[in-house]
mmCIF file with all atom_site columns, all heavy atoms in Angstrom:
data_model
loop_
_atom_site.group_PDB
_atom_site.id
_atom_site.type_symbol
_atom_site.label_atom_id
_atom_site.label_alt_id
_atom_site.label_comp_id
_atom_site.label_asym_id
_atom_site.label_entity_id
_atom_site.label_seq_id
_atom_site.pdbx_PDB_ins_code
_atom_site.Cartn_x
_atom_site.Cartn_y
_atom_site.Cartn_z
_atom_site.occupancy
_atom_site.B_iso_or_equiv
_atom_site.pdbx_formal_charge
_atom_site.auth_seq_id
_atom_site.auth_comp_id
_atom_site.auth_asym_id
_atom_site.auth_atom_id
_atom_site.pdbx_PDB_model_num
ATOM 1  N N   . ASP A 1 89  ? 14.090 8.332  -6.794 1.00 0.00 ? 1044 ASP A N   1
ATOM 2  C CA  . ASP A 1 89  ? 14.104 9.786  -6.841 1.00 0.00 ? 1044 ASP A CA  1
ATOM 3  C C   . ASP A 1 89  ? 14.353 10.447 -5.495 1.00 0.00 ? 1044 ASP A C   1
ATOM 4  O O   . ASP A 1 89  ? 14.732 11.609 -5.444 1.00 0.00 ? 1044 ASP A O   1
ATOM 5  C CB  . ASP A 1 89  ? 12.790 10.313 -7.422 1.00 0.00 ? 1044 ASP A CB  1
ATOM 6  C CG  . ASP A 1 89  ? 12.603 9.882  -8.863 1.00 0.00 ? 1044 ASP A CG  1
ATOM 7  O OD1 . ASP A 1 89  ? 13.616 9.689  -9.557 1.00 0.00 ? 1044 ASP A OD1 1
ATOM 8  O OD2 . ASP A 1 89  ? 11.441 9.720  -9.281 1.00 0.00 ? 1044 ASP A OD2 1
ATOM 9  N N   . ILE A 1 90  ? 14.121 9.727  -4.385 1.00 0.00 ? 1045 ILE A N   1
ATOM 10 C CA  . ILE A 1 90  ? 14.309 10.369 -3.083 1.00 0.00 ? 1045 ILE A CA  1
ATOM 11 C C   . ILE A 1 90  ? 15.469 9.775  -2.298 1.00 0.00 ? 1045 ILE A C   1
ATOM 12 O O   . ILE A 1 90  ? 15.570 9.969  -1.101 1.00 0.00 ? 1045 ILE A O   1
ATOM 13 C CB  . ILE A 1 90  ? 13.028 10.340 -2.225 1.00 0.00 ? 1045 ILE A CB  1
ATOM 14 C CG1 . ILE A 1 90  ? 12.639 8.908  -1.886 1.00 0.00 ? 1045 ILE A CG1 1
ATOM 15 C CG2 . ILE A 1 90  ? 11.900 11.091 -2.862 1.00 0.00 ? 1045 ILE A CG2 1
ATOM 16 C CD1 . ILE A 1 90  ? 11.652 8.806  -0.748 1.00 0.00 ? 1045 ILE A CD1 1
ATOM 17 N N   . CYS A 1 91  ? 16.360 9.076  -2.960 1.00 0.00 ? 1046 CYS A N   1
ATOM 18 C CA  . CYS A 1 91  ? 17.502 8.486  -2.271 1.00 0.00 ? 1046 CYS A CA  1
ATOM 19 C C   . CYS A 1 91  ? 18.372 9.538  -1.589 1.00 0.00 ? 1046 CYS A C   1
ATOM 20 O O   . CYS A 1 91  ? 19.126 9.228  -0.685 1.00 0.00 ? 1046 CYS A O   1
ATOM 21 C CB  . CYS A 1 91  ? 18.360 7.658  -3.231 1.00 0.00 ? 1046 CYS A CB  1
ATOM 22 S SG  . CYS A 1 91  ? 17.669 6.040  -3.576 1.00 0.00 ? 1046 CYS A SG  1
ATOM 23 N N   . PHE A 1 92  ? 18.273 10.775 -2.009 1.00 0.00 ? 1047 PHE A N   1
ATOM 24 C CA  . PHE A 1 92  ? 19.134 11.807 -1.459 1.00 0.00 ? 1047 PHE A CA  1
ATOM 25 C C   . PHE A 1 92  ? 18.444 12.629 -0.378 1.00 0.00 ? 1047 PHE A C   1
ATOM 26 O O   . PHE A 1 92  ? 18.983 13.617 0.093  1.00 0.00 ? 1047 PHE A O   1
ATOM 27 C CB  . PHE A 1 92  ? 19.636 12.712 -2.586 1.00 0.00 ? 1047 PHE A CB  1
ATOM 28 C CG  . PHE A 1 92  ? 20.396 11.929 -3.607 1.00 0.00 ? 1047 PHE A CG  1
ATOM 29 C CD1 . PHE A 1 92  ? 19.801 11.547 -4.795 1.00 0.00 ? 1047 PHE A CD1 1
ATOM 30 C CD2 . PHE A 1 92  ? 21.691 11.512 -3.360 1.00 0.00 ? 1047 PHE A CD2 1
ATOM 31 C CE1 . PHE A 1 92  ? 20.489 10.791 -5.732 1.00 0.00 ? 1047 PHE A CE1 1
ATOM 32 C CE2 . PHE A 1 92  ? 22.380 10.745 -4.284 1.00 0.00 ? 1047 PHE A CE2 1
ATOM 33 C CZ  . PHE A 1 92  ? 21.783 10.386 -5.469 1.00 0.00 ? 1047 PHE A CZ  1
ATOM 34 N N   . TYR A 1 93  ? 17.265 12.199 0.034  1.00 0.00 ? 1048 TYR A N   1
ATOM 35 C CA  . TYR A 1 93  ? 16.533 12.876 1.099  1.00 0.00 ? 1048 TYR A CA  1
ATOM 36 C C   . TYR A 1 93  ? 16.475 11.966 2.308  1.00 0.00 ? 1048 TYR A C   1
ATOM 37 O O   . TYR A 1 93  ? 17.255 11.031 2.413  1.00 0.00 ? 1048 TYR A O   1
ATOM 38 C CB  . TYR A 1 93  ? 15.126 13.261 0.628  1.00 0.00 ? 1048 TYR A CB  1
ATOM 39 C CG  . TYR A 1 93  ? 15.160 14.140 -0.592 1.00 0.00 ? 1048 TYR A CG  1
ATOM 40 C CD1 . TYR A 1 93  ? 14.747 13.651 -1.823 1.00 0.00 ? 1048 TYR A CD1 1
ATOM 41 C CD2 . TYR A 1 93  ? 15.644 15.434 -0.523 1.00 0.00 ? 1048 TYR A CD2 1
ATOM 42 C CE1 . TYR A 1 93  ? 14.801 14.447 -2.954 1.00 0.00 ? 1048 TYR A CE1 1
ATOM 43 C CE2 . TYR A 1 93  ? 15.702 16.230 -1.653 1.00 0.00 ? 1048 TYR A CE2 1
ATOM 44 C CZ  . TYR A 1 93  ? 15.282 15.731 -2.866 1.00 0.00 ? 1048 TYR A CZ  1
ATOM 45 O OH  . TYR A 1 93  ? 15.345 16.513 -3.983 1.00 0.00 ? 1048 TYR A OH  1
ATOM 46 N N   . GLN A 1 94  ? 15.571 12.224 3.201  1.00 0.00 ? 1049 GLN A N   1
ATOM 47 C CA  . GLN A 1 94  ? 15.351 11.398 4.386  1.00 0.00 ? 1049 GLN A CA  1
ATOM 48 C C   . GLN A 1 94  ? 16.618 11.261 5.236  1.00 0.00 ? 1049 GLN A C   1
ATOM 49 O O   . GLN A 1 94  ? 16.848 10.237 5.855  1.00 0.00 ? 1049 GLN A O   1
ATOM 50 C CB  . GLN A 1 94  ? 14.847 9.986  3.988  1.00 0.00 ? 1049 GLN A CB  1
ATOM 51 C CG  . GLN A 1 94  ? 13.647 9.948  3.103  1.00 0.00 ? 1049 GLN A CG  1
ATOM 52 C CD  . GLN A 1 94  ? 12.361 10.215 3.851  1.00 0.00 ? 1049 GLN A CD  1
ATOM 53 O OE1 . GLN A 1 94  ? 12.331 10.166 5.065  1.00 0.00 ? 1049 GLN A OE1 1
ATOM 54 N NE2 . GLN A 1 94  ? 11.312 10.518 3.116  1.00 0.00 ? 1049 GLN A NE2 1
ATOM 55 N N   . GLY A 1 95  ? 17.453 12.294 5.247  1.00 0.00 ? 1050 GLY A N   1
ATOM 56 C CA  . GLY A 1 95  ? 18.605 12.285 6.125  1.00 0.00 ? 1050 GLY A CA  1
ATOM 57 C C   . GLY A 1 95  ? 19.822 11.550 5.597  1.00 0.00 ? 1050 GLY A C   1
ATOM 58 O O   . GLY A 1 95  ? 20.798 11.411 6.312  1.00 0.00 ? 1050 GLY A O   1
ATOM 59 N N   . THR A 1 96  ? 19.789 11.072 4.380  1.00 0.00 ? 1051 THR A N   1
ATOM 60 C CA  . THR A 1 96  ? 20.959 10.389 3.839  1.00 0.00 ? 1051 THR A CA  1
ATOM 61 C C   . THR A 1 96  ? 21.898 11.419 3.227  1.00 0.00 ? 1051 THR A C   1
ATOM 62 O O   . THR A 1 96  ? 21.468 12.411 2.652  1.00 0.00 ? 1051 THR A O   1
ATOM 63 C CB  . THR A 1 96  ? 20.578 9.362  2.751  1.00 0.00 ? 1051 THR A CB  1
ATOM 64 O OG1 . THR A 1 96  ? 19.898 10.039 1.706  1.00 0.00 ? 1051 THR A OG1 1
ATOM 65 C CG2 . THR A 1 96  ? 19.702 8.272  3.318  1.00 0.00 ? 1051 THR A CG2 1
ATOM 66 N N   . GLY A 1 97  ? 23.187 11.190 3.366  1.00 0.00 ? 1052 GLY A N   1
ATOM 67 C CA  . GLY A 1 97  ? 24.171 12.059 2.743  1.00 0.00 ? 1052 GLY A CA  1
ATOM 68 C C   . GLY A 1 97  ? 24.269 11.755 1.261  1.00 0.00 ? 1052 GLY A C   1
ATOM 69 O O   . GLY A 1 97  ? 23.653 10.815 0.758  1.00 0.00 ? 1052 GLY A O   1
ATOM 70 N N   . LYS A 1 98  ? 25.087 12.545 0.568  1.00 0.00 ? 1053 LYS A N   1
ATOM 71 C CA  . LYS A 1 98  ? 25.207 12.389 -0.877 1.00 0.00 ? 1053 LYS A CA  1
ATOM 72 C C   . LYS A 1 98  ? 25.711 10.994 -1.258 1.00 0.00 ? 1053 LYS A C   1
ATOM 73 O O   . LYS A 1 98  ? 25.136 10.350 -2.125 1.00 0.00 ? 1053 LYS A O   1
ATOM 74 C CB  . LYS A 1 98  ? 26.132 13.463 -1.442 1.00 0.00 ? 1053 LYS A CB  1
ATOM 75 C CG  . LYS A 1 98  ? 26.238 13.422 -2.941 1.00 0.00 ? 1053 LYS A CG  1
ATOM 76 C CD  . LYS A 1 98  ? 27.084 14.548 -3.486 1.00 0.00 ? 1053 LYS A CD  1
ATOM 77 C CE  . LYS A 1 98  ? 27.120 14.465 -5.010 1.00 0.00 ? 1053 LYS A CE  1
ATOM 78 N NZ  . LYS A 1 98  ? 27.860 15.572 -5.581 1.00 0.00 ? 1053 LYS A NZ  1
ATOM 79 N N   . GLN A 1 99  ? 26.779 10.531 -0.603 1.00 0.00 ? 1054 GLN A N   1
ATOM 80 C CA  . GLN A 1 99  ? 27.332 9.223  -0.944 1.00 0.00 ? 1054 GLN A CA  1
ATOM 81 C C   . GLN A 1 99  ? 26.346 8.106  -0.609 1.00 0.00 ? 1054 GLN A C   1
ATOM 82 O O   . GLN A 1 99  ? 26.147 7.179  -1.381 1.00 0.00 ? 1054 GLN A O   1
ATOM 83 C CB  . GLN A 1 99  ? 28.662 8.973  -0.221 1.00 0.00 ? 1054 GLN A CB  1
ATOM 84 C CG  . GLN A 1 99  ? 29.346 7.677  -0.634 1.00 0.00 ? 1054 GLN A CG  1
ATOM 85 C CD  . GLN A 1 99  ? 29.654 7.629  -2.131 1.00 0.00 ? 1054 GLN A CD  1
ATOM 86 O OE1 . GLN A 1 99  ? 30.214 8.556  -2.683 1.00 0.00 ? 1054 GLN A OE1 1
ATOM 87 N NE2 . GLN A 1 99  ? 29.268 6.547  -2.781 1.00 0.00 ? 1054 GLN A NE2 1
ATOM 88 N N   . ALA A 1 100 ? 25.704 8.209  0.559  1.00 0.00 ? 1055 ALA A N   1
ATOM 89 C CA  . ALA A 1 100 ? 24.719 7.197  0.944  1.00 0.00 ? 1055 ALA A CA  1
ATOM 90 C C   . ALA A 1 100 ? 23.568 7.174  -0.056 1.00 0.00 ? 1055 ALA A C   1
ATOM 91 O O   . ALA A 1 100 ? 23.073 6.109  -0.421 1.00 0.00 ? 1055 ALA A O   1
ATOM 92 C CB  . ALA A 1 100 ? 24.199 7.458  2.352  1.00 0.00 ? 1055 ALA A CB  1
#
Side-chain angles (χ1 to χ4, degrees):
D1044 296 331
I1045 64 164
C1046 281
F1047 301 100
Y1048 302 110
Q1049 307 283 345
T1051 59
K1053 184 176 181 177
Q1054 185 59 49

